[in-house]
Amino acid sequence: MIFFEKTDSPSCRSCWAGRFCTLCTAALIKNGAVQEPDRSICRSLRHAQEKQIEDLLYIKEYYPEILEQMERMYFQANDIRSALSMPTSRNNKTSPHEVQGVLPA
């Protein structure tokens, strides 16, 4: 609960990269207490997000087929996850043999 209080501070809420933040709770624990995020860590995380966005824009402009392939792979992975989590009559679990048709050849 304290972690959410710290990351719900005005500076975190107003940060453009807030929705992409990967700051781990463990990184905020110092001497047994949750601390405010260090501004240098926040700068590094924002920089990493900027770089990822730049990379995606570059790929989109010069190699759009890569993004299309990534999207297909994403949907395939979701299809596989859905197939693996579908319950069956035996122990409410799907066996690997039952999802063979989901995997690409």
Side-chain angles (χ1 to χ4, degrees):
M1 186 75 157
I2 295 172
F3 169 73
F4 294 110
E5 290 172 10
K6 300 293 182 180
T7 57
D8 193 37
S9 67
S11 60
C12 287
R13 280 195 314 260
S14 65
C15 178
W16 68 265
R19 291 197 175 267
F20 307 107
C21 189
T22 58
L23 188 59
C24 173
T25 308
L28 297 178
I29 298 173
K30 304 253 190 312
N31 299 323
V34 178
Q35 306 296 313
E36 287 280 330
D38 183 276
R39 297 297 157 227
S40 65
I41 293 173
C42 292
R43 275 192 302 277
S44 294
L45 290 170
R46 280 194 300 272
H47 177 74
Q49 290 303 321
E50 288 172 2
K51 183 68 177 132
Q52 286 181 346
I53 292 168
E54 287 173 6
D55 291 347
L56 281 172
L57 291 173
Y58 181 85
I59 292 169
K60 182 179 180 183
E61 183 172 347
Y62 295 103
Y63 303 99
E65 66 279 2
I66 291 175
L67 285 182
E68 292 166 7
Q69 179 63 27
M70 288 171 65
E71 186 175 35
R72 283 191 296 275
M73 291 169 61
Y74 171 80
F75 287 117
Q76 269 185 337
N78 281 337
D79 290 344
I80 291 168
R81 266 195 294 279
S82 293
L84 290 173
S85 65
M86 290 173 49
T88 65
S89 59
R90 292 186 312 266
N91 302 329
N92 288 333
K93 292 187 179 178
T94 304
S95 76
H97 303 288
E98 293 172 305
V99 293
Q100 284 180 347
V102 177
L103 299 173

